[in-house]
Amino acid sequence: MDKKIIFSGAQPTGYPQLGNYLGAFKNWSNLQEEYNCLYCVVDLHAITVRQVPADLRKASRNLLALYIACGLDPEKNIVYMQSHYSGHAELAWILNCFTYMGELGRMTQFKDKSAKNEANINSGLFTYPVLMAADILLFGTHLVPVGEDQRQHLELARDVAIRFNNIYGDVFTVPEAYIAKSGAKIMSLTHPEQKMSKSDDDNSQINLMDSPEVVMRKFKRAVTDSDTEIRYDKEKKPGISNLLEIYANSCGISLDSAIAHFDGKNYGQLKTEVGEAVVENVMQPIQTSFADISANKDYLDGIMKKNAEKAAYIGEKILKKVKKKVGFVV
Ligand code: TYM
């Protein structure tokens, strides 16, 4: 009863990449015993960028199946589609009225995404972080396990919660970000000074559905430096540091152990061993389990439905309180 609440989510835009797994999904499954957890497929967020409807539907089902394939037990965690519970959108509207344009204009993700989508800088892209705040605040969330790139959005969710509470009393729990020390920012394989991202060039990222051959090829081509020493130095050796971090997190060992393991070895050996660790410890188990789960449509439909109802049951209590506070007739 008194377990703390965790909420997180990911966008169903194609298959996730290795950074999503190491920075987020992998940690989620470690939290399921200690916390009450909700993990959402954030399809409402996905349409801030134009989507092909059939592809979005497919990607959403696949992502839910992948959550389970990555180790989330759907009986212990509430895994569901964001659009299956309208409370997210309702609370987002209310919170829009408590968020300033200036705050949203400062969001780096908005600046990046609008630079990439000049033809479609819609208001949903601008208010995206408000919907994310609604996702989190709707359930009295204490902790939000995410990668480093979501830290600024989390800060905004906290500011909005505090602002609302200052006006109406203690309605919202003020959430904390839960960001792992290692693996929270996996970098691109071709531009290791940038984060790995689904929307970038295919060779820069490991897609969770890539075949072993493709994974090995992408790691072999990973950009390193003209030096020969395997050393962890994010500033001067971003490519090598990224490979070391991927190895440590894929093997479930500390960064220091990974560094010690490669002492005296060369870049070629590093790339091969990182590729093998990712294939054996990450890709193969996930892909095998994903194939089983996604083949069973009725099973997935049942989980989706049952869990959206569970989410709504929790969310409605807070939403009702919010509506009453702002003066709606309830
Ligand atoms: P999204 O879909 O971009 O990413 C899902 C999760 O993966 C993490 N991540 C990474 N971690 C390490 N290295 C990387 N290169 C990397 N790339 C992505 C992200 O930090 C994230 O944790 N806005 C969110 C989805 C969202 C959400 C929420 C998250 C909507 N509502 C409420 C938490 C709580 C997003 O676009 O994540």
Side-chain angles (χ1 to χ4, degrees), residues 239-288:
I240 293 295
S241 304
N242 190 38
L243 292 177
L244 286 167
E245 228 169 283
I246 293 175
Y247 183 81
N249 282 283
S250 302
C251 295
I253 61 172
S254 69
L255 194 53
D256 283 343
S257 308
I259 295 166
H261 176 79
F262 288 105
D263 188 33
K265 295 191 180 171
N266 62 36
Y267 283 10
Q269 286 167 308
L270 172 68
K271 288 177 172 186
T272 304
E273 285 198 44
V274 175
E276 285 168 357
V278 168
V279 167
E280 278 165 36
N281 303 336
V282 178
M283 315 290 282
Q284 279 175 347
I286 291 176
Q287 290 178 6
T288 307

Side-chain angles (χ1 to χ4, degrees), residues 32-329:
Q32 57 193 355
E33 303 297 336
E34 215 181 314
Y35 298 92
N36 283 330
C37 306
L38 297 104
Y39 296 112
C40 188
V41 171
V42 296
D43 48 0
L44 300 181
H45 281 98
I47 61 162
T48 54
V49 174
R50 199 72 71 231
Q51 303 290 338
V52 176
D55 293 352
L56 177 61
R57 229 181 315 277
K58 193 162 170 230
S60 299
R61 298 185 71 92
N62 283 342
L63 185 56
L64 198 86
L66 260 172
Y67 281 180
I68 302 169
C70 289
L72 288 181
D73 179 343
E75 299 300 326
K76 288 189 185 151
N77 302 274
I78 301 179
V79 287
Y80 69 108
M81 301 287 175
Q82 188 184 32
S83 63
H84 287 186
Y85 171 37
S86 60
H88 291 266
E90 286 183 63
L91 184 59
W93 174 257
I94 297 172
L95 296 182
N96 265 321
C97 305
F98 293 85
T99 311
Y100 302 121
M101 305 274 285
E103 287 175 308
L104 293 173
R106 282 194 291 277
M107 294 292 117
T108 51
Q109 193 161 308
F110 170 68
K111 290 185 206 164
D112 291 350
K113 283 201 175 173
S114 39
K116 282 184 188 164
N117 293 284
E118 262 184 27
N120 182 21
I121 308 177
N122 59 73
S123 53
L125 198 61
F126 190 61
T127 57
Y128 176 113
V130 184
L131 177 58
M132 181 162 159
D135 298 340
I136 297 165
L137 301 181
L138 191 51
F139 302 104
T141 303
H142 297 94
L143 287 177
V144 186
V146 280
E148 187 60 49
D149 62 340
Q150 298 299 317
R151 192 186 285 278
Q152 196 186 28
H153 289 160
L154 241 294
E155 279 303 316
L156 182 79
R158 287 171 55 84
D159 291 346
V160 172
I162 293 168
R163 183 171 306 142
F164 194 95
N165 286 353
N166 282 340
I167 304 171
Y168 299 107
D170 273 345
V171 178
F172 293 127
T173 303
V174 180
E176 305 265 352
Y178 186 99
I179 298 176
K181 281 206 185 77
S182 170
K185 194 171 185 188
I186 298 298
M187 309 308 275
S188 152
L189 298 183
T190 48
H191 295 90
E193 64 294 340
Q194 296 169 9
K195 70 166 184 177
M196 187 179 282
S197 169
K198 264 187 274 191
S199 51
D200 287 342
D201 159 46
D202 193 47
N203 285 322
S204 71
Q205 52 175 307
I206 302 293
N207 181 304
L208 284 188
M209 288 298 130
D210 279 345
S211 68
E213 297 71 34
V214 170
V215 174
M216 295 307 291
R217 177 172 48 77
K218 287 183 179 175
F219 277 113
K220 277 208 176 101
R221 290 190 188 163
V223 169
T224 51
D225 50 54
S226 54
D227 193 20
T228 52
E229 192 193 356
I230 299 179
R231 187 161 51 82
Y232 188 81
D233 182 337
K234 274 191 135 168
E235 287 283 302
K236 296 199 182 101
K237 298 172 78 72
I240 293 295
S241 304
N242 190 38
L243 292 177
L244 286 167
E245 228 169 283
I246 293 175
Y247 183 81
N249 282 283
S250 302
C251 295
I253 61 172
S254 69
L255 194 53
D256 283 343
S257 308
I259 295 166
H261 176 79
F262 288 105
D263 188 33
K265 295 191 180 171
N266 62 36
Y267 283 10
Q269 286 167 308
L270 172 68
K271 288 177 172 186
T272 304
E273 285 198 44
V274 175
E276 285 168 357
V278 168
V279 167
E280 278 165 36
N281 303 336
V282 178
M283 315 290 282
Q284 279 175 347
I286 291 176
Q287 290 178 6
T288 307
S289 175
F290 173 76
D292 286 348
I293 296 160
S294 54
N296 195 339
K297 186 175 177 296
D298 292 345
Y299 168 74
L300 263 188
D301 284 346
I303 284 171
M304 237 183 264
K305 187 168 183 294
K306 190 168 78 181
N307 281 324
E309 283 164 6
K310 283 190 193 167
Y313 180 78
I314 304 171
E316 278 314 285
K317 291 187 197 155
I318 291 179
L319 189 57
K320 203 164 175 194
K321 201 166 164 188
V322 170
K323 287 181 177 174
K324 212 165 159 186
K325 290 284 185 186
V326 297
F328 296 165
V329 177

